[in-house]
Amino acid sequence: MRIGNGFDVHAFGPGDSIVLAGVRIAHSRGIVAHSDGDVVLHALCDALLGAAGLGDIGMHFPDSDPLWKGASSSHFVSTVMEMLKVRGWIVGNADITVIAELPKLAPYRLEMRRSLAVLLGVGENQVNIKGTTTESLGFLGRREGIAAQAVVLLAPKPAQ
Ligand code: MG
């Protein structure tokens, strides 16, 4: 078994929605990012890569590469999952925390969980997504952006 963790932050900017865990969520702001700025999937990619000893998301999908401009971050996760598959790893579970004052995640939690389960090729009971705030402290508390932390466990793929 291997454990990995990931962390990501993006600033809010002009716009009327953000993408979290591959789900578009209505918000009074958008996200400043080279890709779609999905902090959940970026933190998840780093956790997966970290668990497998494969570096980080910036190594594999550099934000200087025009190929990734406006890219859907689900593509990053799918690519990382292919890398894990060829190395014989499957996901045991993933636990994710989103840190922001707004938007409120409760109405989207089931959809985000379903989206993550599909991307990771696991059951919904192997994925958990939590929301918290910083009690109005710091840049997240001032609603300047949004952060996510991810922890994943990888297990060897069972022999057929
Ligand atoms: Mg990012």
Side-chain angles (χ1 to χ4, degrees), residues 7-10 32-35 37-43 46 57 63 73 76:
F7 177 70
D8 194 39
V9 173
H10 279 278
V32 179
H34 187 68
S35 65
D38 187 327
V39 287
V40 168
L41 295 191
H42 294 181
D46 265 353
I57 190 171
D63 62 10
S73 297
F76 301 157

mmCIF file of all heavy atoms in Angstrom, residues 7-10 32-35 37-43 46 57 63 73 76, ligand 1:
data_model
loop_
_atom_site.group_PDB
_atom_site.id
_atom_site.type_symbol
_atom_site.label_atom_id
_atom_site.label_comp_id
_atom_site.label_asym_id
_atom_site.label_seq_id
_atom_site.Cartn_x
_atom_site.Cartn_y
_atom_site.Cartn_z
ATOM 1 N N PHE A 7 -2.115 19.190 -2.345
ATOM 2 C CA PHE A 7 -2.694 20.463 -1.894
ATOM 3 C C PHE A 7 -2.688 21.417 -3.077
ATOM 4 O O PHE A 7 -1.739 21.430 -3.860
ATOM 5 C CB PHE A 7 -1.850 21.033 -0.739
ATOM 6 C CG PHE A 7 -2.325 22.374 -0.247
ATOM 7 C CD1 PHE A 7 -3.526 22.487 0.448
ATOM 8 C CD2 PHE A 7 -1.575 23.518 -0.482
ATOM 9 C CE1 PHE A 7 -3.965 23.723 0.913
ATOM 10 C CE2 PHE A 7 -2.012 24.758 -0.019
ATOM 11 C CZ PHE A 7 -3.203 24.862 0.678
ATOM 12 N N ASP A 8 -3.748 22.210 -3.225
ATOM 13 C CA ASP A 8 -3.776 23.192 -4.316
ATOM 14 C C ASP A 8 -4.616 24.402 -3.919
ATOM 15 O O ASP A 8 -5.551 24.276 -3.116
ATOM 16 C CB ASP A 8 -4.358 22.561 -5.590
ATOM 17 C CG ASP A 8 -4.094 23.430 -6.812
ATOM 18 O OD1 ASP A 8 -2.994 24.009 -6.921
ATOM 19 O OD2 ASP A 8 -4.991 23.553 -7.669
ATOM 20 N N VAL A 9 -4.249 25.530 -4.478
ATOM 21 C CA VAL A 9 -4.967 26.792 -4.246
ATOM 22 C C VAL A 9 -5.142 27.495 -5.588
ATOM 23 O O VAL A 9 -4.237 27.472 -6.419
ATOM 24 C CB VAL A 9 -4.151 27.750 -3.329
ATOM 25 C CG1 VAL A 9 -4.831 29.113 -3.238
ATOM 26 C CG2 VAL A 9 -3.949 27.156 -1.949
ATOM 27 N N HIS A 10 -6.302 28.093 -5.820
ATOM 28 C CA HIS A 10 -6.462 29.031 -6.935
ATOM 29 C C HIS A 10 -7.202 30.263 -6.445
ATOM 30 O O HIS A 10 -8.052 30.181 -5.552
ATOM 31 C CB HIS A 10 -7.223 28.405 -8.106
ATOM 32 C CG HIS A 10 -6.351 27.544 -8.961
ATOM 33 N ND1 HIS A 10 -5.541 28.057 -9.952
ATOM 34 C CD2 HIS A 10 -6.135 26.215 -8.950
ATOM 35 C CE1 HIS A 10 -4.878 27.061 -10.524
ATOM 36 N NE2 HIS A 10 -5.214 25.937 -9.935
ATOM 37 N N VAL A 32 -9.081 32.009 -11.468
ATOM 38 C CA VAL A 32 -7.921 32.398 -12.270
ATOM 39 C C VAL A 32 -7.034 31.159 -12.403
ATOM 40 O O VAL A 32 -6.546 30.639 -11.405
ATOM 41 C CB VAL A 32 -7.131 33.527 -11.576
ATOM 42 C CG1 VAL A 32 -5.921 33.903 -12.426
ATOM 43 C CG2 VAL A 32 -8.027 34.731 -11.330
ATOM 44 N N ALA A 33 -6.868 30.672 -13.634
ATOM 45 C CA ALA A 33 -6.055 29.468 -13.826
ATOM 46 C C ALA A 33 -5.723 29.298 -15.295
ATOM 47 O O ALA A 33 -6.417 29.821 -16.168
ATOM 48 C CB ALA A 33 -6.805 28.235 -13.330
ATOM 49 N N HIS A 34 -4.679 28.523 -15.555
ATOM 50 C CA HIS A 34 -4.298 28.181 -16.931
ATOM 51 C C HIS A 34 -5.260 27.118 -17.477
ATOM 52 O O HIS A 34 -5.743 27.226 -18.600
ATOM 53 C CB HIS A 34 -2.853 27.669 -16.940
ATOM 54 C CG HIS A 34 -2.302 27.438 -18.301
ATOM 55 N ND1 HIS A 34 -2.035 28.461 -19.180
ATOM 56 C CD2 HIS A 34 -1.972 26.299 -18.950
ATOM 57 C CE1 HIS A 34 -1.559 27.946 -20.309
ATOM 58 N NE2 HIS A 34 -1.517 26.649 -20.198
ATOM 59 N N SER A 35 -5.526 26.113 -16.628
ATOM 60 C CA SER A 35 -6.506 25.077 -16.994
ATOM 61 C C SER A 35 -7.876 25.539 -16.491
ATOM 62 O O SER A 35 -8.114 26.734 -16.338
ATOM 63 C CB SER A 35 -6.118 23.744 -16.337
ATOM 64 O OG SER A 35 -6.223 23.867 -14.922
ATOM 65 N N GLY A 37 -8.798 25.185 -13.542
ATOM 66 C CA GLY A 37 -8.577 25.617 -12.152
ATOM 67 C C GLY A 37 -9.326 24.797 -11.115
ATOM 68 O O GLY A 37 -9.710 25.322 -10.073
ATOM 69 N N ASP A 38 -9.492 23.512 -11.402
ATOM 70 C CA ASP A 38 -10.231 22.629 -10.480
ATOM 71 C C ASP A 38 -9.288 22.211 -9.343
ATOM 72 O O ASP A 38 -8.484 21.286 -9.482
ATOM 73 C CB ASP A 38 -10.729 21.413 -11.273
ATOM 74 C CG ASP A 38 -11.659 20.505 -10.484
ATOM 75 O OD1 ASP A 38 -11.469 20.384 -9.259
ATOM 76 O OD2 ASP A 38 -12.547 19.915 -11.109
ATOM 77 N N VAL A 39 -9.380 22.904 -8.205
ATOM 78 C CA VAL A 39 -8.429 22.642 -7.107
ATOM 79 C C VAL A 39 -8.563 21.228 -6.557
ATOM 80 O O VAL A 39 -7.573 20.638 -6.104
ATOM 81 C CB VAL A 39 -8.556 23.663 -5.932
ATOM 82 C CG1 VAL A 39 -8.002 25.012 -6.326
ATOM 83 C CG2 VAL A 39 -9.974 23.765 -5.423
ATOM 84 N N VAL A 40 -9.767 20.671 -6.595
ATOM 85 C CA VAL A 40 -9.956 19.312 -6.085
ATOM 86 C C VAL A 40 -9.185 18.318 -6.950
ATOM 87 O O VAL A 40 -8.426 17.479 -6.439
ATOM 88 C CB VAL A 40 -11.455 18.940 -6.041
ATOM 89 C CG1 VAL A 40 -11.644 17.450 -5.793
ATOM 90 C CG2 VAL A 40 -12.162 19.749 -4.966
ATOM 91 N N LEU A 41 -9.338 18.430 -8.266
ATOM 92 C CA LEU A 41 -8.664 17.467 -9.138
ATOM 93 C C LEU A 41 -7.158 17.712 -9.181
ATOM 94 O O LEU A 41 -6.386 16.768 -9.345
ATOM 95 C CB LEU A 41 -9.272 17.495 -10.545
ATOM 96 C CG LEU A 41 -10.740 17.047 -10.629
ATOM 97 C CD1 LEU A 41 -11.155 16.866 -12.089
ATOM 98 C CD2 LEU A 41 -11.006 15.774 -9.837
ATOM 99 N N HIS A 42 -6.728 18.958 -9.022
ATOM 100 C CA HIS A 42 -5.282 19.220 -8.983
ATOM 101 C C HIS A 42 -4.663 18.615 -7.719
ATOM 102 O O HIS A 42 -3.598 17.973 -7.774
ATOM 103 C CB HIS A 42 -4.998 20.722 -9.047
ATOM 104 C CG HIS A 42 -5.387 21.343 -10.358
ATOM 105 N ND1 HIS A 42 -5.205 22.676 -10.651
ATOM 106 C CD2 HIS A 42 -5.964 20.788 -11.455
ATOM 107 C CE1 HIS A 42 -5.653 22.920 -11.874
ATOM 108 N NE2 HIS A 42 -6.122 21.789 -12.373
ATOM 109 N N ALA A 43 -5.316 18.803 -6.571
ATOM 110 C CA ALA A 43 -4.814 18.201 -5.324
ATOM 111 C C ALA A 43 -4.849 16.675 -5.427
ATOM 112 O O ALA A 43 -3.926 15.987 -4.970
ATOM 113 C CB ALA A 43 -5.655 18.677 -4.139
ATOM 114 N N ASP A 46 -1.924 15.371 -7.504
ATOM 115 C CA ASP A 46 -0.683 15.395 -6.732
ATOM 116 C C ASP A 46 -0.653 14.268 -5.701
ATOM 117 O O ASP A 46 0.403 13.690 -5.444
ATOM 118 C CB ASP A 46 -0.503 16.750 -6.046
ATOM 119 C CG ASP A 46 0.364 17.690 -6.872
ATOM 120 O OD1 ASP A 46 0.925 17.238 -7.899
ATOM 121 O OD2 ASP A 46 0.497 18.863 -6.491
ATOM 122 N N ILE A 57 2.097 17.386 -10.359
ATOM 123 C CA ILE A 57 1.265 17.749 -11.514
ATOM 124 C C ILE A 57 1.981 18.736 -12.439
ATOM 125 O O ILE A 57 1.835 18.658 -13.659
ATOM 126 C CB ILE A 57 -0.106 18.291 -11.016
ATOM 127 C CG1 ILE A 57 -1.096 18.445 -12.162
ATOM 128 C CG2 ILE A 57 0.046 19.599 -10.257
ATOM 129 C CD1 ILE A 57 -2.517 18.765 -11.687
ATOM 130 N N ASP A 63 2.084 24.439 -16.609
ATOM 131 C CA ASP A 63 1.134 25.490 -16.987
ATOM 132 C C ASP A 63 1.735 26.450 -18.014
ATOM 133 O O ASP A 63 1.073 27.380 -18.462
ATOM 134 C CB ASP A 63 0.564 26.214 -15.768
ATOM 135 C CG ASP A 63 1.620 26.932 -14.964
ATOM 136 O OD1 ASP A 63 2.758 27.034 -15.442
ATOM 137 O OD2 ASP A 63 1.294 27.395 -13.852
ATOM 138 N N SER A 73 -9.567 19.490 -16.116
ATOM 139 C CA SER A 73 -8.643 18.795 -15.217
ATOM 140 C C SER A 73 -8.971 17.321 -15.102
ATOM 141 O O SER A 73 -8.137 16.544 -14.631
ATOM 142 C CB SER A 73 -8.659 19.469 -13.851
ATOM 143 O OG SER A 73 -8.183 20.794 -13.983
ATOM 144 N N PHE A 76 -6.367 15.455 -16.746
ATOM 145 C CA PHE A 76 -5.148 15.226 -15.955
ATOM 146 C C PHE A 76 -5.309 13.971 -15.094
ATOM 147 O O PHE A 76 -4.405 13.140 -15.017
ATOM 148 C CB PHE A 76 -4.841 16.420 -15.035
ATOM 149 C CG PHE A 76 -4.647 17.740 -15.738
ATOM 150 C CD1 PHE A 76 -4.835 18.932 -15.042
ATOM 151 C CD2 PHE A 76 -4.256 17.804 -17.062
ATOM 152 C CE1 PHE A 76 -4.645 20.154 -15.668
ATOM 153 C CE2 PHE A 76 -4.074 19.025 -17.699
ATOM 154 C CZ PHE A 76 -4.272 20.206 -16.997
HETATM 155 MG MG MG B 1 -3.870 24.095 -9.576
#
